[in-house]
Amino acid sequence: MSKAQKDSLEEKLLQLECHFTWSVKEELFELDRKKRRLEELIIDGVKYQAMPYNYLAFITGHQGKYEEALENLQKAEEILRKNHKHDFERRSIITYGNYAWVYYYMDQLTDVQTYLDKLERICKLFPNASRHSVMTSEIYGEKGWALLNCTGICYEEAKECFLKALEEDPDDTEWNMGYATVLFRLESSDGTAENLTPSRAIPQLRRVLELDPNDSKAMVLLALKLREVNEVNEGLTLVEKALKISPNRPYVIYYAAIFLRRAHAIDKAVELLKRAITITPEAAFLHHQIGLCYRVKLNGLKTCPGSSNAEFEARAELIELIKYHFDKAFLVKKSFIAAQLDFADSCLMNQEQRKAVQHKPT
């Protein structure tokens, strides 16, 4: 194929709706860390399994691991065929676009054209589609999840994507949960418009539970928001119910542990987090939470001159545990500035000024 023909193909590829054309830039995050995060979502039992596999294909494609990228796309396609038999083609637009891009990077241009042809055939089913692309609720929704799994600067765009998806399909649990999640995160971020107004995440999370009463992640997110408005008893009931439904889902345990830590049920929170770490041992967020729990315990110990040797030993042991888990969180996720700062502060508790300075962000 001539250079002119290849350039023509690339021009068509740039018009596709898929991970390779969205504003999900690889320089915004550490690829290996993001890959691990998506693998954790799969282990966690995320409902929308095709989504992480599509995103993994994007990451491994950028890493030059093309065979692995194709394997991820095959898994996404298998899931869509199994779970969406009646609207498979409509839901496969993103996956086919990702296929086309991976084959383009592999310089297998005949395969690129094959997937462009498939997309052209699907797009003919939609009156408002262009030749190779169309915006549907599924595309808006998956783009929202992709942006949500990127960085905080993408959250506003993610929110708009979920709203677009809900305009077309207001009762879809997947898009309602996506919208609830992005509202939860925006309301947790200092200085955002959402952070400065009454919570919209609370009614949205309740909406998710109307559609799916067993969504354990929605339960723990709602519990945390309810605690902010002093509805602690309802929050605790939701946490207990979520843990019964999903006793081994790391992300459910993570949010449940935050609730319990803030409710001063430290030992229970640590017990849950240690169980989650046996499932995902390299999860930075779990190690950081354990460190925070141990720090609460440390703050509860006596530090006065009359403290016993046992109390001093307990304090020293807790400081070592705090240091270990904060350090582990930072080693796993180099961009985890909070963990880095917390580790430095724990070194200062132990009179390790030099090590603390070394771990302070520059």
Side-chain angles (χ1 to χ4, degrees):
M1 185 176 288
S2 69
K3 183 179 184 304
Q5 289 173 310
K6 187 172 182 179
D7 289 345
S8 175
L9 271 184
E10 183 175 2
E11 186 177 337
K12 293 174 183 176
L13 289 173
L14 289 169
Q15 297 171 22
L16 302 184
E17 291 294 339
C18 64
H19 291 77
F20 289 86
T21 59
W22 294 336
S23 55
V24 182
K25 303 299 184 185
E26 65 272 18
E27 63 266 25
L28 294 179
F29 51 78
E30 304 162 42
L31 288 180
D32 286 333
R33 177 183 65 79
K34 181 55 62 176
K35 183 179 177 184
R36 190 183 304 115
R37 163 93 163 99
L38 291 163
E39 289 167 346
E40 287 166 1
L41 281 176
I42 293 168
I43 293 170
D44 189 58
V46 65
K47 290 181 182 179
Y48 322 118
Q49 289 274 313
M51 179 273 294
Y53 283 118
N54 264 324
Y55 205 155
L56 279 171
F58 164 73
I59 289 174
T60 50
H62 272 290
Q63 291 177 321
K65 301 174 182 177
Y66 302 126
E67 293 302 328
E68 188 176 344
L70 291 175
E71 288 173 8
N72 284 315
L73 290 172
Q74 287 162 8
K75 288 176 183 175
E77 191 172 0
E78 288 169 10
I79 291 165
L80 291 173
R81 287 188 185 280
K82 178 182 177 182
N83 297 338
H84 301 282
K85 294 177 182 177
H86 301 299
D87 59 350
F88 166 74
E89 288 196 326
R90 177 186 176 98
R91 287 187 173 259
S92 64
I93 293 171
I94 295 168
T95 305
Y96 284 172
N98 286 338
Y99 264 122
W101 271 100
V102 172
Y103 280 124
Y104 181 77
Y105 284 130
M106 296 174 73
D107 210 32
Q108 294 182 205
L109 303 184
T110 301
D111 291 312
V112 174
Q113 188 60 56
T114 296
Y115 280 95
L116 288 174
D117 291 344
K118 288 184 178 185
L119 287 167
E120 184 174 358
R121 177 172 51 80
I122 294 170
C123 287
K124 286 179 179 177
L125 303 173
F126 300 90
N128 298 321
S130 64
R131 184 176 176 184
H132 296 107
S133 66
V134 62
M135 293 306 295
T136 66
S137 62
E138 293 84 3
I139 291 172
Y140 277 120
E142 186 155 350
K143 183 176 182 179
W145 281 117
L147 293 167
L148 190 57
N149 281 301
C150 192
T151 66
I153 62 173
C154 299
Y155 288 173
E156 286 291 346
E157 188 179 354
K159 183 181 75 171
E160 294 307 313
C161 285
F162 287 124
L163 284 171
K164 289 284 189 182
L166 289 170
E167 283 179 13
E168 185 176 336
D169 197 350
D171 294 329
D172 186 278
T173 307
E174 184 173 349
W175 315 141
N176 273 285
M177 184 56 186
Y179 184 48
T181 303
V182 76
L183 287 175
F184 177 91
R185 293 191 187 177
L186 285 166
E187 289 177 8
S188 301
S189 301
D190 292 337
T192 62
E194 290 78 6
N195 178 260
L196 302 173
T197 57
S199 175
R200 288 188 292 161
I202 290 176
Q204 183 59 31
L205 286 161
R206 291 194 188 281
R207 171 68 175 145
V208 173
L209 291 172
E210 286 176 8
L211 295 166
D212 182 0
N214 291 317
D215 192 317
S216 54
K217 189 171 179 182
M219 290 176 194
V220 289
L221 293 182
L222 179 57
L224 285 169
K225 295 303 297 182
L226 289 172
R227 192 180 185 284
E228 292 177 6
V229 293
N230 297 316
E231 298 290 340
V232 179
N233 290 337
E234 184 184 355
L236 182 58
T237 299
L238 285 166
V239 166
E240 291 171 346
K241 183 177 180 181
L243 290 171
K244 285 181 182 177
I245 294 171
S246 304
N248 297 311
R249 284 189 63 188
Y251 280 92
V252 171
I253 291 173
Y254 167 69
Y255 288 113
I258 294 175
F259 182 95
L260 293 169
R261 173 171 60 80
R262 292 174 180 172
H264 304 292
I266 305 301
D267 290 337
K268 178 63 174 176
V270 171
E271 176 190 339
L272 288 170
L273 290 164
K274 285 183 174 179
R275 186 168 78 209
I277 278 180
T278 64
I279 302 167
T280 53
E282 296 299 305
F285 61 95
L286 295 175
H287 283 286
H288 188 245
Q289 278 302 313
I290 292 180
L292 292 175
C293 287
Y294 282 135
R295 191 165 68 184
V296 172
K297 293 193 75 169
L298 177 68
N299 291 338
L301 290 180
K302 292 180 182 179
T303 58
C304 60
S307 299
S308 67
N309 287 337
E311 287 167 335
F312 276 114
E313 289 174 5
R315 177 180 171 81
E317 182 180 348
L318 280 171
I319 290 174
E320 289 304 313
L321 286 168
I322 292 166
K323 285 170 54 184
Y324 169 78
H325 287 288
F326 285 155
D327 191 37
K328 179 71 172 178
F330 174 64
L331 288 174
V332 171
K333 181 181 175 184
K334 291 296 186 181
S335 61
F336 203 160
I337 301 301
Q340 188 180 7
L341 287 169
D342 286 333
F343 177 77
D345 289 342
S346 63
C347 290
L348 289 175
M349 295 177 196
N350 222 23
Q351 313 300 316
E352 298 174 275
Q353 282 84 356
R354 180 176 296 180
K355 188 178 288 188
V357 170
Q358 289 172 345
H359 282 75
K360 285 284 186 181
T362 56

